[in-house]
Amino acid sequence: MYEEISKILKKENLTKDDLMFLLSADDKAVQLIFDKAAEVKTQYVGNYTYFRGLIELSNICSKNCLYCGIRSGNKNVQRYSATDEEALKAVKYALDRNWGSVVIQAGERQDPKFIDRLENLLKQISSISPEKTGVTLSLGEQNLEVYTRWLNAGATRYLIRIETSNEDLFYKIHPRDELHNFEKRIQALRDLRKAGYMTGTGVMIGLPFQTMEDLADDLLFMQEYDIDMCGMGPYIEHEDTPLYQYKDQLLPLEERYKLTLKMIALLRILMKDVNIASVTALQAVNPDGREEGIRYGANVIMPNITPVKYHESYNLYKGKPEIVPETDKYISQLEKQINESGDKVGYEERGDPIHFKNRKK
Ligand code: SAM
Ligand code: SF4
């Protein structure tokens, strides 16, 4: 296995078979992949980790994805919407610490009240932020006009996960109706690019019914759509969701975690200069999960700066880490670990994806 992996890693272009083989690397051989990803990261994006302050603005969602703890059908959730004041305070927290970017994430809503409110909030954020501050949105599917309004109001990046590139699997993890449509999800990526955003996507890893072939296809999908950013993480079951019934068919959580690290490393090798987030779901499995992701190719961490009183209600999956520790003391500790992993924190920089800049040239 060792020789075969070394041989594949020397190739210019990786095929689906190559990726499937690499995804099946055992614990010993996987180090070769991790070493290669670290080398590519150093060469193409440098040893920097960028902090993005994550604001979970609201858990009100019109959708009913079968895996998600805040799906509209879950009546055990206390719904909230943080106020503009609270959101701006969180933005200020990030700015005061010289983080170059914030991320606004929420359940999906397409009603005019929400769209107007977001536009207004983005304008307020722009008015208190230096020009170079990056604002990423993760607010689900909207139309081109809405994307453009939010871009003009100050957003620069948009992250929308396709969740899986396999259409059959997509309909096993979503209701089959107007609101949950595979083609529309992919169209969103095209519209975001057209509107002018730095565009990101991602998938969940270790979903029920998902195969190694699906994951290899996911990587090739991201390459084909020439994405600028990626946030992918392990699927973690939530007991108040329909998908929970398949919990006994899942890979052990530790395996889903390892597969996620492999996917991060392989995407770095495949797409070289994109931004890759080391997501909170990794931390939910292993307290040092986000730092591990950074060592194996990721270059973005999103410390959660949502007001603490809302944390419990933004429960996407079981065992979401207690986020209270994202205090100054905790952030210093995180920075220390990032430094130990060989990276510096990119303060006062937006840390835009080099891939996006290179495409513009
Ligand atoms: N509502 C927006 C959307 O769906 O694009 C943004 C917020 S949504 C909570 C962000 C991401 O959470 C989803 O794209 C999904 O991949 C992830 N997520 C939801 N439930 C999850 C679970 N049980 N395990 C892991 N990730 C999950
Ligand atoms: Fe809503 Fe996003 Fe959760 Fe789907 S994944 S139910 S759109 S918050």
Side-chain angles (χ1 to χ4, degrees), residues 305-324:
I305 55 171
T306 310
V308 171
K309 64 179 177 189
Y310 297 131
H311 287 178
E312 234 181 82
S313 306
Y314 203 84
N315 226 345
L316 308 181
Y317 43 76
K318 222 168 58 171
K320 195 169 165 218
E322 180 51 55
I323 301 155
V324 186

Side-chain angles (χ1 to χ4, degrees), residues 65 67-71 74 77 79 238 240-241 315-317:
C65 306
Y67 44 83
C68 179
I70 61 169
R71 63 199 299 271
N74 184 6
V77 178
R79 302 288 165 176
H238 187 298
D240 292 330
T241 61
N315 226 345
L316 308 181
Y317 43 76

Side-chain angles (χ1 to χ4, degrees), residues 61 63 65 67-70 105-108 138-141 159-163 185 202-204 231 233-238 241 281 314 316-318:
C61 186
K63 279 196 166 171
C65 306
Y67 44 83
C68 179
I70 61 169
Q105 192 185 86
E108 185 173 308
S138 177
L139 302 170
E141 292 156 46
L159 195 80
I160 186 157
R161 288 186 179 179
I162 45 148
E163 318 297 358
R185 196 81 181 162
V203 295
M204 282 181 286
Y235 161 68
I236 306 176
E237 63 275 29
H238 187 298
T241 61
Y314 203 84
L316 308 181
Y317 43 76
K318 222 168 58 171

